[in-house]
Amino acid sequence: MKSPNPQGKGVVPLLVAWESMSPVTIANKAAGRILGEYFTSLLILSAEFSFKPVPQNHYYLYWKPLLSADNNSTSPWRLSLIEPERLGDLDLGVYVGRCILECDVTWSIAL
């Protein structure tokens, strides 16, 4: 009898990949902490950035006021991969703090 799935595609590779993933457990948090994480995440997600953030990486938040109408920016906040010490001549604004996307997809910031 000829195998209906000669290339091995289908359920078996999916199940192997599924088993290798460990479930994420979320710890109980106090209401104040949840509210703080919510507002921190709102602030950081309102910033302009052109990359896909990855959990547990460091990002840098800058603030630069919108001064002129010819500026095509929609937010005074910028999230960057470049740390302040390595900016050189690039003017992203005033450095605010280092941000981290946590594994539970909330943001934290160290001012």
Side-chain angles (χ1 to χ4, degrees), residues 2-9:
K2 188 173 180 181
S3 172
N5 190 7
Q7 296 174 342
K9 296 179 183 175

Side-chain angles (χ1 to χ4, degrees), residues 38-47 61 75 77 96 109 111:
Y38 174 73
F39 284 114
T40 301
S41 296
L42 277 179
L43 169 69
I44 295 169
L45 291 174
S46 72
L61 187 65
S75 173
W77 300 100
V96 176
I109 185 168
L111 302 174

Side-chain angles (χ1 to χ4, degrees), residues 72-84:
N72 59 2
S73 235
T74 57
S75 173
W77 300 100
R78 309 277 187 284
L79 190 64
S80 175
L81 297 164
I82 305 170
E83 51 211 27

Side-chain angles (χ1 to χ4, degrees), residues 21-40:
M21 300 174 76
S22 61
V24 176
T25 57
I26 298 175
N28 291 335
K29 298 178 184 178
R33 182 172 174 194
I34 292 171
L35 191 61
E37 289 176 352
Y38 174 73
F39 284 114
T40 301

Side-chain angles (χ1 to χ4, degrees), residues 62-73:
Y62 298 90
W63 182 77
K64 185 176 185 180
L66 303 173
L67 298 175
S68 63
D70 61 3
N71 191 350
N72 59 2
S73 235

